[in-house]
Every structure is written in C-alpha cells, then in structure tokens.
Amino acid sequence: MKAEKFFAGFSKGVLILLAVGVILATLSGGWGIPALKSPHDFGYLLENPAKPGMHIQGSVLYTYDCFASEETYTQRSDGTRSAGKTSGFYYAIPSYDGVIGLRVSSDDYGDMEDLLSETITYLTDGTEPVTSVWVDGRIGKMDQSMRGLFEEYLLSMGFSRGEIADMGDPLIIECPASMSQMKVMFLIGIGLCVLAVIWFVINCVRYGRETRRLQAAYGQAGDSVSCGQAGGYGGAGGYGQAAYGQAGEAYGSIPAAGRKLAEAVANKRKIYLTALVRTVVTGLVFLACGGGVSGLSEYASDVSGIVFLIIMFVVIAGGIGFYTLRHLTERMEFCEYGICWKGRFYSFSDLGNIGWRSVTQAGFFSRDRIDTARGSFDVSYLDKPRKAYNQAYMDQ
C-alpha cells in the first residue's frame, strides 16, 4: 500500500472511534475479558488451583479473618484531609493452594463477620455456614502493599515462610460495581475499534477508486497520473489538450483542467515537526495529569497497569501527533482553467474570487487558508502555496 493511500485512510472520525474504543476496551479490559469467561464458584476454588484472570461468581463458602481495610478520604488544597471512610475490607479465604484474598465492600462487612463466626463453628462441630455473601468478580495478583499485610496475617496463622512461598504469588478476588457493565463496556470498545478499522479501509478504497478514476480521465495509458494525488503527469506536455480536452470542455464527467502551471506539495519537514511537537506536549500533559513520574509509577505497580499506561500514551499522545501525518498526502495544482485540490478539480468559475488568509493561533504554527466561493481550503501544510499560485497566474 502506498504511503499516501495509507494516510488517506485516516480521518477525524476514524481516530475518534479508535481512541474511544481503545480507551473503553483498556479501562474495562481487566474486568471485561474475565466477564466473558464462564464463571467458577467458590467450591471450584477449593478443588482446583486459582489462576489470575478467572471469573468467580457465587456465594462465599468459608472465610478466615479480615486482614486489612481500605479507607477513602478527600485531600484538601491546604494540605489537610477529610475524615476517612472505610470503603472495603480484605478477608482471607481457603483455597486449593492454601489461602487467597477477597475484597468486599463495606456493605458486606456484617455478613462476612457472621460468616466468619459460622466458619469457626464449622471447624469445631461441622455445622455448615448459612450466611450468604454474593461475589461476582475476577482473580488478580495482590499489589505490593497488600501483599505485605497478607503475608503478615499468614504468619500469624501459623504458616511458615516456606509454606507461604510455596503458595506462589498472593492472589485476590476483586469485584467491580458490575461485571456485566464491564463486559458491555469492553464489547462496545472492541466494536468501536472494529468500526474504526472498517471506516479506515473504506477511506483507503475510496481514495484508490478516486485516484484510478482521475488517472483514467486525465492520464494516458500506463501513466501514473491523478489530479493532485499521485506521481507524474503523463507526457512531456503535462496537462496537455490531448489528455484534457479543449479549453472549457469536460473530459467525461471531469472538467478540463488545462495545462498544469505550478504546484505546491506537502511540507514534510513542517508536518513531521508538528507531529513531534504535538506528541511531546500531549505526553507532558498526560504525565502531569497522572501525578508525574511518581504518580504513574504507583499506578503501574503491575503488568496490567503498565500496559494500560502504554496504551493510553500511544492512543492519546501518539494519536494526536500521528493524525498530523495525514497531511503528507496533500498537494495543490494550479492549472489553466482551475485548481486541483485533494483529488478534485475546481474551475475558476466555481471558485469565484480567491483570497489568501493567514491566521495565527495559539498553536505552534499559523494556519494558512484560501477563501473561495466553494469554501475555505486549509493549505497550512503545503510548501509555499502562495508562491506557486503567483508563479502560475501572476508570473511572479
């Protein structure tokens, strides 16, 4: 695939769909992917090894003590913080490999304490617990801070460090607000990514079809010719009368352009520099919003967090910068009877009065436009388009 055809496939709609889809799929991926799997109950965990990424759904059968709690608070601008509120509790539960963790919300704390008492009774006289605590979540690895508390609790239970090491990486069952919502979010994200790819392919096919149509209308057999898009321009006569018809006539359904007098091609240096600047600036904003290097390092405490940060940076910073590269396909050709721009021919009668305008924005570069009766053409990323225009029509 030619580079210009590839970049022609990108549009704002494609990148927006792709960015939203990737963000949704990434944010929910840690939950959405397990939600797509067949769930296992707690009885399964007593007979089979627990593995990260498993979907766990059902009532907790037995539990050991609570070994940690989670507190939320509001940090004020003056450095103080509000009173803490316990939002979750971490319990140890029996499993096939020994013991794993379980996080429950504060609403389930009372039931978990009842289940703890019933579990102690069960270990004493064999009476099965009757309290039900419903869980719908996934198995993951504990972070470093939780791992230390968990290991301390296991030591207090009588496990040796060797026995704890034999259990492998400490695992924990965590539950989102709704696994079904995470599943839907993940599927929507994947669907948007698929639509973005389809839209991209359609744009590429449409660009190729338009290029072939223009080649057939304007070029000679065997020439790689188009109105402002690909390669050369036919024989030595350029936009000659044999290929374009007589002045004022149309060649098929395409108006006669006449001879090519001058052209302005993409300013690659400016495009690459703009893409780099946008990527760097967006990356710095991304870093600042994430709390700096220290903030991001805390978030990226495991592989899933690192992958999420990489994807977010590629989508946000790389996407914004990469979108600038679509201008590499742009070329404006100034012909006897009109202007060719982005694969379309505009006769002077259609364009009416032509005016040039340069607008300085807050961005790194100014925006250059050509105002016509057919709209405003953004030629900011062309190399000296006004000089080519003057050369073609004003002999300057």
Side-chain angles (χ1 to χ4, degrees), residues 18-28 185 308 311-312 315-316:
L18 186 61
V20 174
V22 170
I23 290 173
L24 287 178
T26 304
L27 288 174
S28 61
M185 185 185 298
F308 172 76
I311 292 177
M312 287 297 97
V315 170
I316 299 175

Side-chain angles (χ1 to χ4, degrees), residues 233 260-265 331-334 383-384 388:
Y233 294 89
K260 183 185 71 168
L261 304 177
E263 68 175 344
V265 298
R331 176 185 295 181
M332 177 170 281
E333 294 156 353
F334 303 101
D383 187 15
K384 301 176 181 178

Side-chain angles (χ1 to χ4, degrees), residues 270-280 317 320-322 324-325:
K270 182 177 182 178
I271 293 171
Y272 287 134
L273 181 57
T274 304
L276 177 62
V277 170
R278 288 181 175 179
T279 301
V280 171
I320 291 176
F322 185 74
T324 309
L325 300 181

Side-chain angles (χ1 to χ4, degrees), residues 9 18 27 41 77 111 166 172 210 263-264:
L18 186 61
L27 288 174
D41 58 19
S77 58
D111 289 336
D166 291 340
I172 187 169
E210 182 68 13
E263 68 175 344

Side-chain angles (χ1 to χ4, degrees), residues 244-302:
Y244 292 91
Q246 301 300 320
E249 296 178 356
Y251 190 101
S253 61
I254 310 259
R259 292 183 301 108
K260 183 185 71 168
L261 304 177
E263 68 175 344
V265 298
N267 188 335
K268 294 183 179 180
R269 181 179 179 181
K270 182 177 182 178
I271 293 171
Y272 287 134
L273 181 57
T274 304
L276 177 62
V277 170
R278 288 181 175 179
T279 301
V280 171
V281 171
T282 309
L284 293 175
V285 173
F286 178 80
L287 183 64
C289 293
V293 176
S294 59
L296 294 182
S297 62
E298 291 181 6
Y299 186 87
S301 59
D302 54 19

Side-chain angles (χ1 to χ4, degrees), residues 15-158:
L15 288 177
I16 290 174
L17 278 181
L18 186 61
V20 174
V22 170
I23 290 173
L24 287 178
T26 304
L27 288 174
S28 61
W31 304 100
I33 294 177
L36 295 174
K37 301 177 181 178
S38 299
H40 298 291
D41 58 19
F42 284 86
Y44 180 88
L45 293 181
L46 292 175
E47 301 174 355
N48 300 272
K51 297 180 180 179
M54 289 177 59
H55 181 188
I56 302 301
Q57 185 182 80
S59 296
V60 184
L61 299 179
Y62 314 102
T63 185
Y64 298 136
D65 289 324
C66 174
F67 65 90
S69 62
E70 184 179 76
E71 187 180 74
T72 58
Y73 58 87
T74 301
Q75 187 74 37
R76 301 189 182 96
S77 58
D78 59 1
T80 62
R81 70 181 190 180
S82 64
K85 179 181 179 182
T86 303
S87 57
F89 294 89
Y90 293 85
Y91 283 82
I93 62 173
S95 70
Y96 177 83
D97 293 321
V99 184
I100 63 174
L102 169 67
R103 184 194 181 280
V104 298
S105 67
S106 57
D107 295 336
D108 293 324
Y109 175 73
D111 289 336
M112 287 298 295
E113 288 297 304
D114 292 340
L115 182 60
L116 172 60
S117 299
E118 294 171 5
T119 299
I120 295 174
T121 301
Y122 168 75
L123 295 175
T124 302
D125 59 20
T127 303
E128 288 286 346
V130 295
T131 301
S132 176
V133 179
W134 181 261
V135 169
D136 188 9
R138 62 156 192 199
I139 297 179
K141 294 183 179 180
M142 288 187 184
D143 58 30
Q144 291 297 329
S145 59
M146 190 59 60
R147 177 178 299 193
L149 295 174
F150 183 68
E151 291 180 352
E152 287 180 10
Y153 173 74
L154 293 181
L155 289 172
S156 68
M157 288 183 68

